[in-house]
């Protein structure tokens, strides 16, 4: 999930046990459920979406390079992405003359990115 | 006294080239992939080809994807056919609640008049209507281009079909050739109770020139190659039920191989020989079947004339291209489609440019990721299939001057018949061996 332990401190500040125990109880009812769809709720936004100084963090914990690779995974023109490594799929599309984007190829050969497609291990 | 005659017969020879690397899977690594990859490779290769043929077919129409179909607009779509068959056995039937008492005898042909065809590409699938495309002719896995339009019911009404057609063929050089013959045999089924060892021994003796007078031996000397197209041994089913074998049963298990090896040693000592695996041979089940292990043939594998080949098998002799299988591809087509003449199945696979279109749907197949090895990109001169019921042959002519000899090789244990092909003019005739003495 998106929130790191660092971020939790922003919303779960240590409170002294004062007479206002009821407020403390209410705040513990806002845990960040993984699938919380709390857009319409009156309570505060789940921590997942509000972080990094207030801007909406919809990307989660992967960066732009992974975004580019995920777009490559999802592109139907290069065939199914499951069951084949990203580099093998890129090389296959090259061999078939489909002209996959060079950027993807250099990212994959560079080697600091995930080499398996986004569904690998999850399906 | 001079025993050797001065004019000893020499066997003719021809140059041999093998094209089996495409069918070998030693370099493949299984990463848990499913069959979507091989279907994608097939669709991509065939679609690129069909796109190049469409302008010559109907140049005024545009090509679109299945998802891009507009109602009433005439266009061309290209995709893989899927045939929905009511009677096709489905693994999910085991879990179905309304399971009726399953028939113990499976039908030999799973066709039903309610079968319908669907065209599929990456974007979607559409049901096909109209009478142009007959579900009894086509099977799942064939890639075609269709001209038609979408109806209000959401189906695609087919007006015309474009198949890939015969692949291009390299012309055989027309220089005057010598008479050379290639012998094809299949279905020896050594080890089966009904196989007659004398018949095969007669074949071996004839080919190696140990039979007949000088004229016969002269004919035998013109045989340059022998191809055994599958099902050379048959191990009795009772030995393969998973239980531990007693030592006497173990020797029964290896007897067919020893007998085959003895025959093959006699052959390999005389002429080049190719042996292909078949459905009853100890090779892998799914296509492409890998070559039979050389340790099964301790005697014959020492000869360099002995070659263990894949199924399907592709080779060239003196620049004549031979392509063939041990029969599983055609047998599968007979279960899922029909034809007036069995040779039509063989011709269809050539026109669809695919050796086994029903793989991997109903025919076991290795899940290749980067290619479909069964695509036929060059038209063979001789296209053979082993283990068929009877000997049949036909010459097929293509639109660009291709000419292919189609051959069905019958099962030797049942018919005693081998097929001989003349390399000069690609005519073929049958060689029958009988062991019954007439009354």
């Amino acid at each position: 999930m998106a929130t790191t332990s660092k971020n939790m401190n922003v919303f779960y500040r240590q409170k002294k046990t004062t007479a206002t125990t009821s407020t403390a109880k209410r705040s513990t009812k806002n845990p960040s459920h993984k699938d919380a769809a709390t857009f319409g709720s009156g309570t505060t936004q789940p921590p997942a979406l509000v972080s990094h100084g207030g801007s909406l963090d919809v990307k989660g914990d992967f960066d732009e390079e992974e975004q580019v690779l995920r777009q490559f995974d999802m592109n139907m023109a290069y065939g199914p992405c499951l069951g084949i490594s990203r580099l093998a799929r890129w090389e296959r599309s090259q061999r078939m003359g489909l002209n996959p984007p060079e950027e993807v190829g250099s990212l994959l050969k560079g080697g600091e990115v995930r080499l398996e497609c986004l569904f690998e291990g999850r399906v | 006294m001079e025993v050797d005659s001065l004019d000893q017969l020499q066997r003719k020879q021809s140059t041999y080239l093998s094209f089996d690397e495409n069918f070998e899977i030693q370099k493949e690594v299984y990463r848990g992939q499913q069959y979507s990859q091989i279907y994608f490779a097939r669709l991509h290769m065939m679609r690129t080809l069909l796109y190049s043929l469409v302008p010559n077919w109907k140049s005024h129409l545009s090509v679109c994807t299945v998802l891009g179909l507009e109602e009433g607009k005439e266009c061309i779509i290209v995709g893989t056919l899927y045939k929905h068959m009511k009677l096709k056995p489905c693994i999910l039937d085991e879990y179905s609640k309304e399971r009726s008492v399953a028939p113990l005898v499976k039908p030999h042909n799973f066709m039903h008049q309610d079968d319908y065809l669907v065209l599929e590409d990456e974007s979607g699938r559409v049901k096909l209507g109209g009478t142009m495309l007959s579900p009894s002719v086509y099977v799942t896995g064939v890639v075609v281009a269709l001209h038609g339009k979408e109806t209000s019911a959401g189906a695609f009404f087919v007006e015309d079909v474009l198949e890939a057609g015969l692949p291009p063929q390299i012309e055989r050089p027309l220089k005057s050739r010598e008479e050379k013959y290639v012998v094809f045999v299949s279905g020896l089924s050594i080890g089966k109770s009904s196989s007659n060892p004398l018949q095969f021994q007669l074949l071996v003796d004839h080919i190696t020139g140990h039979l007949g007078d000088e004229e016969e031996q002269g004919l035998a000397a013109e045989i340059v190659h022998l191809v055994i197209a599958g099902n050379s041994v048959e191990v009795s089913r009772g030995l393969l039920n998973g239980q531990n074998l007693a030592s006497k049963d173990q020797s029964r298990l290896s007897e067919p191989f020893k007998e085959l090896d003895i025959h093959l040693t006699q052959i390999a000592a005389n002429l080049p020989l190719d042996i292909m695996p078949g459905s009853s041979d100890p090779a892998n089940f799914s296509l492409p079947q890998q070559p039979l292990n050389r340790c099964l043939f301790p005697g014959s594998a020492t000869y360099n004339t002995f070659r263990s080949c894949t199924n399907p098998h592709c080779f060239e002799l003196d620049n004549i291209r031979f392509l063939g299988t041990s029969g599983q591809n055609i047998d599968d087509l007979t279960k899922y489609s029909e034809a007036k003449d069995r040779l039509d199945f063989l011709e269809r696979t050539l026109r669809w440019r695919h050796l086994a279109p029903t793989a991997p749907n109903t025919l076991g197949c290795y899940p290749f990721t980067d290619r479909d090895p069964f695509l036929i990109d060059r038209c063979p001169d001789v296209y053979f299939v082993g283990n068929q019921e009877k000997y049949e042959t036909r010459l097929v002519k293509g639109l660009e001057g291709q000419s292919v000899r189609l051959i069905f090789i019958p099962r030797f244990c049942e018919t005693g018949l081998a097929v001989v092909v003349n390399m000069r003019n690609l005519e073929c005739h049958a060689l029958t061996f009988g062991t019954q003495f007439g009354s």
Side-chain angles (χ1 to χ4, degrees), chain B residues 57 75 77 81 117 119 126-134 144-151 155-162:
Chain B
W57 181 48
C75 60
I77 51 175
L81 284 175
L117 289 167
L119 191 84
V126 66
K127 190 167 163 185
L128 300 176
T131 50
M132 191 67 209
L133 212 57
S134 168
V144 288
L146 300 176
H147 158 222
K149 53 164 125 37
E150 190 185 349
T151 60
F156 187 81
F157 184 85
V158 179
E159 288 171 30
D160 204 357
V161 188
L162 174 70

Side-chain angles (χ1 to χ4, degrees), chain B residues 30 38 108 155 218 231 252 266 282 325 339 383 387 403 417 427:
Chain B
Y30 182 64
I38 188 177
H108 292 291
N231 289 356
R252 265 178 62 203
Q266 293 170 24
T325 64
Y383 187 26
N387 297 298
S403 109
L417 207 148
E427 276 174 15

Side-chain angles (χ1 to χ4, degrees), chain B residues 206-222:
Chain B
H206 172 79
I207 295 180
T208 55
H210 289 103
L211 279 183
D213 58 355
E214 276 202 34
E215 196 190 319
E216 280 285 324
Q217 291 179 329
L219 286 175
E222 291 176 345

Side-chain angles (χ1 to χ4, degrees), chain B residues 239-257:
Chain B
L239 293 175
L240 296 175
N241 57 3
Q243 295 185 352
N244 287 329
L245 291 178
S247 57
K248 67 171 165 68
D249 283 340
Q250 279 184 359
S251 58
R252 265 178 62 203
L253 195 61
S254 60
E255 263 165 32
F257 301 101

Side-chain angles (χ1 to χ4, degrees), chain A residues 76-84 92 95-96 98, chain B residues 31-33 36-37 40-41 44-45 122-123 369-370:
Chain A
M76 301 225 57
Y78 307 121
C81 66
L82 253 188
I84 189 172
R92 176 183 76 184
R95 268 201 306 267
M96 287 183 173
L98 292 164
Chain B
R31 286 198 181 84
Q33 68 267 22
S36 54
Q37 311 286 349
F40 169 70
H44 178 81
M45 296 299 180
E122 305 102 347
S123 60
T369 51
D370 54 350

Side-chain angles (χ1 to χ4, degrees), chain B residues 185-211:
Chain B
V185 73
S186 79
L188 298 168
S189 297
I190 295 177
K192 195 168 166 183
S193 50
S194 57
S195 80
N196 185 348
L198 181 56
Q199 266 184 337
F200 187 40
Q201 188 59 52
L202 274 177
L203 172 71
V204 172
D205 285 340
H206 172 79
I207 295 180
T208 55
H210 289 103
L211 279 183

Side-chain angles (χ1 to χ4, degrees), chain B residues 115-324:
Chain B
D115 294 340
Y116 59 87
L117 289 167
V118 171
L119 191 84
E120 188 175 312
D121 69 3
E122 305 102 347
S123 60
R125 32 163 48 194
V126 66
K127 190 167 163 185
L128 300 176
T131 50
M132 191 67 209
L133 212 57
S134 168
S136 60
V137 168
Y138 288 90
V139 285
T140 302
V142 181
V143 180
V144 288
L146 300 176
H147 158 222
K149 53 164 125 37
E150 190 185 349
T151 60
S152 52
F156 187 81
F157 184 85
V158 179
E159 288 171 30
D160 204 357
V161 188
L162 174 70
E163 293 169 349
L166 258 57
Q169 189 180 57
I170 294 182
E171 268 204 54
R172 287 177 291 122
L174 293 172
K175 65 176 166 72
S176 61
R177 291 168 166 270
E178 308 173 290
E179 294 275 317
K180 288 185 189 175
Y181 296 94
V182 182
V183 177
F184 291 90
V185 73
S186 79
L188 298 168
S189 297
I190 295 177
K192 195 168 166 183
S193 50
S194 57
S195 80
N196 185 348
L198 181 56
Q199 266 184 337
F200 187 40
Q201 188 59 52
L202 274 177
L203 172 71
V204 172
D205 285 340
H206 172 79
I207 295 180
T208 55
H210 289 103
L211 279 183
D213 58 355
E214 276 202 34
E215 196 190 319
E216 280 285 324
Q217 291 179 329
L219 286 175
E222 291 176 345
I223 298 176
V224 291
H225 205 81
L226 172 70
V227 178
I228 302 181
N231 289 356
S232 317
V233 295
E234 189 162 313
V235 182
S236 104
R237 292 285 133 190
L239 293 175
L240 296 175
N241 57 3
Q243 295 185 352
N244 287 329
L245 291 178
S247 57
K248 67 171 165 68
D249 283 340
Q250 279 184 359
S251 58
R252 265 178 62 203
L253 195 61
S254 60
E255 263 165 32
F257 301 101
K258 289 194 188 128
E259 199 184 319
L260 177 65
D261 189 40
I262 290 172
H263 290 300
L264 292 185
T265 313
Q266 293 170 24
I267 301 174
N270 279 274
L271 80 163
L273 139 81
D274 284 357
I275 181 162
M276 293 163 60
S279 52
S280 70
D281 287 320
N284 55 316
F285 166 74
S286 52
L287 291 185
Q289 280 183 298
Q290 297 304 290
L292 291 166
N293 201 314
R294 293 169 73 87
C295 65
L296 288 168
F297 310 107
S300 34
T302 55
Y303 287 91
N304 69 350
T305 46
F306 174 86
R307 274 182 208 94
S308 184
C309 308
T310 56
N311 169 31
H313 182 35
C314 183
F315 64 100
E316 261 185 26
L317 274 178
D318 282 349
N319 291 324
I320 298 178
R321 199 163 176 114
F322 294 79
L323 174 65

